[in-house]
Amino acid sequence: MTEPLSMDQAFIRKLADIVLANLANENFGVEELAKEAGMSRVSLHRRLKSAAQQDTSQFIREIRLQRAMETLQNNEGTVAEIAFRVGFGSPTYFNKCFHEYFGFPPGEVRKRETSESLNNLADEQSGKSGTYKELKSKHDFKSVSKRLHRKNLLIASFSILSGMLLVYFLYVLFMRNPEKSMVVLPFKNLSDNIENQYFADGIMEDILNHLFRIRGISVRSRTTAEHFRGNPMTSPQIARELNVNYVLEGSVLRYENKVRIFVQLIDARNDQHILSEKYEGELTDILELSGDIAKKIAIELKSVLSLEEIRQIEKMPTNSPEAYDYYLQARFLVNKTYSEQRADISKAGLMTSLQYYEKAIAADENFAEAYAGLADAWYNLSAWGWYQPYYEGIRKARDFSAQALEIDTACAEAHAVKGACLIYPERKFGAATRELLTSIRLNPNFSVAHQWYAQLLMITGPIEEARVHMDRVLELEPYFWLAHNLNSWICYFEGKHKKGIDACLIGRDLNQYSLDNDWLFVIHFVKLGEGENAARELKNIFNRYLKTNEYENEISDAYKKSGIKGLFTWLIDFNIRKPVPLEGMNGHPFYIAWWYAILGNKNESVSWLKKASESQHIPYHYFDLITTNPDFDFVRDDPGFIKILQEVGLSQYNKGKAK
């Protein structure tokens, strides 16, 4: 009698069937699989990671390789024919992938088939107990993907494997999640006035910020919660998607000068309401009400609050309802910019938020959070190039963060903005480290502080520590496109290029207008030796941002002539002879130095770095990364390179590996 499939097994089987149905289509990839599965790429990636500990692209590739092995064993064609039949556009690439996966080239399958060691060796290399067809007949698709991922796992029998799967499933369900992990979903506005949504969002965020400060509870960020606004998914489904155990739902009714708040805390593991209460008071009581709700949740989750945590929760940032209302409106505008893809809309939202922060300060000149919010808005406007002159915007951010800290030395947001300003343009990395670590200490769940600190560590090193903070950002902000871009950069520095591509795919799915993301695709593909893909993404940059295919033939010819080397030779020539207003192609000496570094030309790379260091406008966000960027490892002991680092104040951070 066939045993019923678990949810994860059924999910893996469904995906495998889709891949097999599109096996011969070499262009069938992550995006196509997600579309046919009726999911976004982000949801597919997270679900597959949870169910099978695999990346989506790896899953597709290994299904292809499994079918190739079966076809080769059945002697159903030449290696080249089978490569095309299972979706590999290049027999050479197929041979490479096959050898890496099974431990021997596809041409040896038939030779080994006469030996009893064939299946044993295949099992040893790929962790399988039979062909793909046999595994499919057993309906054990979760174990298929686990064996595909864990190369050296030997399975004695299906019954033993089933037991292991059960243990694993229980571990995932009950042990892997932090015990007190939760998401606070956007609160519903029950008022007749639809414009009061900013008020409901503000209450939700205040409760969220209080929970952030409780060390015993791991809380997902506001931007993550925003992803589920209006989503028809149930609370247990959302919890599964975010790998949390608890979900807080709420609604707000504002009428006359009063407010009524309804909250429900749900144990998503059992789909049970463990807290359902109503809070009511005057508008002047709203800050106290949000603190009371946070403390009630902590008590319900049996979290022991320290005296400092209680003090922070009970602290009243302002006694002015008018100031608080303006502050909520400003924050509402700022939060909308984080989920917006179009730069013009984000810029407009930030610019308008300045007015409301200023009104909040006018109503209460001792409102530290309003000063900190104003500082953050000015910093982001300047950092994104939306306010000129740049240095004036940064000066405003620095001054407003200082004013916030004069009022409240424990303002985490103000410390974070101060730290960011110390990185650029002041480049006082030691002082910036102290400010950002102070911010993280005050609010361990403040994702922005973790993000900025990870970016600082990409300059000073070590990259291993940057990875720790990056992983924390991804835990808090799984739906923030910028986090995935930054993750891809760190993957690049770590030499984990396949993971970097996966991060790029998620970043592009969340924001298709990121030039940073497009360049990451190019350089990751280069490091993987996938020149055709790199050339395609290079063409894509022109199509996306300059709306032209004028250079497609030049790029194709350069690649056909000299491969990846030809692409970068062309890029260098393009930067020198006919630059365009795009990063990486704008003729700046730094990019020319970088492209020469990728080509391994030490003299030219150092020469152009010297010109870059003397340039009036230096792209510091890339230039400073030469201290840890592995592309420059081969010049680290070069006297000219060392002198450049000394002149720009980076010599103490030259921590890459000299070659």
Side-chain angles (χ1 to χ4, degrees):
M1 181 176 177
T2 303
E3 295 186 14
L5 299 179
S6 70
M7 290 180 62
D8 283 341
Q9 286 174 315
F11 175 68
I12 296 299
R13 178 180 181 180
K14 174 185 174 182
L15 295 185
D17 285 342
I18 293 173
V19 174
L20 288 170
N22 295 275
L23 199 64
N25 181 4
E26 65 177 283
N27 296 317
F28 187 86
V30 177
E31 183 173 355
E32 290 74 21
L33 179 58
K35 184 177 180 180
E36 291 209 20
M39 306 171 70
S40 71
R41 280 185 292 189
V42 176
S43 297
L44 174 61
H45 177 81
R46 291 179 61 82
R47 179 74 189 277
L48 192 54
K49 273 287 189 182
S50 174
Q53 297 297 298
Q54 266 195 312
D55 297 325
T56 311
S57 58
Q58 180 188 15
F59 175 81
I60 295 171
R61 182 169 58 252
E62 294 185 355
I63 291 292
R64 295 183 188 278
L65 290 171
Q66 281 299 305
R67 176 50 63 88
M69 170 61 87
E70 180 181 349
T71 309
L72 285 166
Q73 287 175 326
N74 293 334
N75 197 20
E76 297 178 12
T78 66
V79 170
E81 289 171 344
I82 291 172
F84 290 117
R85 197 181 304 168
V86 298
F88 283 87
S90 165
T92 302
Y93 182 59
F94 169 70
N95 288 346
K96 175 178 179 291
C97 293
F98 191 97
H99 192 285
E100 288 179 354
Y101 183 58
F102 289 105
F104 54 87
E108 290 189 16
V109 172
R110 290 172 189 134
K111 298 176 184 178
R112 293 169 178 261
E113 196 170 20
T114 58
S115 169
E116 292 183 356
S117 65
L118 174 61
N119 288 328
N120 292 334
L121 182 56
D123 289 345
E124 180 181 344
Q125 294 298 323
S126 60
K128 293 169 288 296
S129 60
T131 66
Y132 182 84
K133 184 176 181 181
E134 292 167 342
L135 288 166
K136 187 168 185 274
S137 69
K138 291 180 181 178
H139 292 204
D140 193 11
F141 283 87
K142 182 175 180 183
S143 61
V144 171
S145 66
K146 285 174 70 67
R147 285 193 295 263
L148 291 173
H149 180 68
R150 299 181 180 180
K151 304 291 185 179
N152 297 315
L153 184 63
L154 295 175
I155 305 301
S157 68
F158 178 68
S159 59
I160 295 176
L161 176 59
S162 298
M164 292 175 65
L165 286 172
L166 176 61
V167 172
Y168 174 75
F169 178 75
L170 292 173
Y171 168 79
V172 170
L173 186 61
F174 296 110
M175 299 298 293
R176 191 176 62 184
N177 296 1
E179 183 182 353
K180 299 172 185 176
S181 56
M182 68 185 304
V183 59
V184 182
L185 297 178
F187 281 15
K188 296 177 181 178
N189 170 33
L190 300 182
S191 306
D192 292 334
N193 187 353
I194 193 173
E195 293 183 0
N196 273 333
Q197 185 62 55
Y198 80 87
F199 189 77
D201 284 1
I203 302 302
M204 167 264 194
E205 191 167 1
D206 275 337
I207 296 171
L208 179 68
N209 287 336
H210 287 315
L211 293 171
F212 270 159
R213 292 178 169 84
I214 302 175
R215 292 182 179 275
I217 303 176
S218 175
V219 190
R220 298 298 180 262
S221 73
R222 188 199 181 285
T223 52
T224 297
E226 184 66 29
H227 184 79
F228 296 93
R229 184 187 294 273
N231 194 304
M233 293 172 66
T234 65
S235 293
Q237 288 172 330
I238 293 173
R240 179 184 175 87
E241 178 80 6
L242 295 178
N243 192 30
V244 297
N245 287 335
Y246 298 95
V247 176
L248 183 69
E249 298 177 344
S251 55
V252 177
L253 175 62
R254 181 179 181 179
Y255 59 103
E256 298 176 352
N257 291 319
K258 295 185 178 182
V259 61
R260 186 177 297 160
I261 306 171
F262 305 87
V263 295
Q264 298 180 92
L265 182 62
I266 301 167
D267 181 346
R269 296 169 299 183
N270 304 308
D271 196 14
Q272 293 181 346
H273 289 66
I274 59 176
L275 175 66
S276 183
E277 295 201 9
K278 177 180 72 175
Y279 299 81
E280 190 167 7
E282 304 289 330
L283 285 177
T284 53
D285 301 328
I286 189 62
L287 289 171
E288 187 176 349
L289 286 176
S290 63
D292 288 343
I293 294 170
K295 286 189 288 185
K296 181 70 173 178
I297 292 169
I299 292 170
E300 198 66 39
L301 297 181
K302 297 180 174 57
S303 293
V304 179
L305 299 178
S306 68
L307 292 176
E308 175 60 23
E309 288 170 340
I310 294 173
R311 189 185 73 80
Q312 286 292 329
I313 291 174
E314 294 180 346
K315 182 175 65 176
M316 299 291 287
T318 179
N319 292 316
S320 168
E322 181 185 14
Y324 181 68
D325 196 70
Y326 283 133
Y327 175 72
L328 291 186
Q329 292 183 65
R331 205 162 61 184
F332 179 75
L333 290 165
V334 170
N335 288 332
K336 287 183 68 175
T337 67
Y338 290 126
S339 58
E340 179 56 55
Q341 294 187 10
R342 287 180 51 187
D344 56 336
I345 297 177
S346 295
K347 175 183 176 181
L350 280 176
M351 290 298 294
T352 307
S353 76
L354 298 176
Q355 303 171 23
Y356 286 100
Y357 280 130
E358 290 167 353
K359 289 180 179 180
I361 292 169
D364 181 0
E365 62 181 9
N366 292 314
F367 196 171
E369 278 79 359
Y371 283 107
L374 194 56
D376 180 72
W378 275 114
Y379 176 79
N380 281 296
L381 282 167
S382 302
W384 286 100
W386 296 335
Y387 180 83
Q388 297 295 333
Y390 167 79
Y391 291 103
E392 181 182 336
I394 294 296
R395 179 187 59 77
K396 290 176 182 288
R398 185 183 61 230
D399 292 347
F400 284 124
S401 64
Q403 286 180 269
L405 291 172
E406 284 181 13
I407 299 167
D408 181 6
T409 57
C411 182
E413 185 177 13
H415 280 290
V417 176
K418 182 180 178 181
C421 292
L422 286 166
I423 300 174
Y424 299 120
E426 296 189 41
R427 302 171 79 215
K428 297 178 180 178
F429 303 132
T433 296
R434 290 190 292 273
E435 292 297 327
L436 291 170
L437 288 178
T438 298
S439 178
I440 292 170
R441 177 179 58 79
L442 291 168
N443 186 350
N445 291 305
F446 188 18
S447 63
V448 173
H450 285 284
Q451 174 194 321
W452 286 342
Y453 189 46
Q455 289 175 277
L456 173 58
L457 289 166
M458 289 171 69
I459 301 172
T460 65
I463 288 298
E464 293 80 6
E465 189 175 348
R467 165 52 59 199
V468 171
H469 288 273
M470 188 67 252
D471 287 346
R472 182 66 175 135
V473 174
L474 292 171
E475 180 184 355
L476 294 167
E477 299 278 14
Y479 292 97
F480 187 27
W481 63 270
L482 186 60
H484 292 283
N485 279 9
L486 182 57
N487 180 40
S488 187
W489 275 116
I490 293 178
C491 286
Y492 187 80
F493 285 14
E494 294 173 315
K496 299 176 180 178
H497 301 294
K498 291 182 180 179
K499 289 186 177 180
I501 290 292
D502 288 336
C504 283
L505 288 169
I506 298 173
R508 178 173 287 179
D509 190 59
L510 294 169
N511 182 358
Q512 60 178 312
Y513 300 106
S514 170
L515 177 59
D516 222 30
N517 185 276
D518 291 304
W519 273 116
L520 280 161
F521 270 111
V522 172
I523 57 180
H524 275 303
F525 279 133
V526 164
K527 296 300 179 180
L528 289 170
E530 299 181 19
E532 291 183 4
N533 287 330
R536 183 193 68 233
E537 291 297 333
L538 192 56
K539 296 173 187 177
N540 188 44
I541 291 175
F542 284 101
N543 292 331
R544 279 174 177 265
Y545 304 100
L546 297 181
K547 309 299 182 185
T548 179
N549 57 6
E550 176 184 354
Y551 305 105
E552 284 194 2
N553 289 336
E554 290 185 27
I555 295 171
S556 295
D557 291 343
Y559 179 69
K560 289 178 182 177
K561 182 178 179 180
S562 305
I564 289 174
K565 180 179 179 181
L567 290 180
F568 284 92
T569 301
W570 180 85
L571 267 174
I572 290 168
D573 182 72
F574 189 92
N575 270 275
I576 295 174
R577 300 182 185 279
K578 46 185 175 184
V580 293
L582 279 177
E583 283 192 311
M585 300 176 182
N586 60 11
H588 195 283
F590 171 74
Y591 298 110
I592 300 174
W594 192 355
W595 307 149
Y596 268 123
I598 289 177
L599 288 175
N601 190 324
K602 179 183 291 189
N603 292 335
E604 289 291 347
S605 182
V606 172
S607 174
W608 284 97
L609 275 178
K610 177 63 176 174
K611 295 176 183 177
S613 68
E614 296 169 348
S615 173
Q616 183 178 358
H617 302 289
I618 305 176
Y620 286 114
H621 55 297
Y622 289 139
F623 182 86
D624 285 353
L625 300 184
I626 61 176
T627 52
T628 54
N629 186 337
D631 290 335
F632 293 96
D633 284 352
F634 78 117
V635 299
R636 297 207 180 279
D637 56 358
D638 182 88
F641 182 78
I642 293 172
K643 184 177 180 181
I644 291 170
L645 292 185
Q646 290 173 340
E647 291 173 350
V648 298
L650 291 172
S651 57
Q652 71 185 98
Y653 305 114
N654 187 24
K655 297 178 180 179
K657 299 177 181 178
K659 295 181 180 179

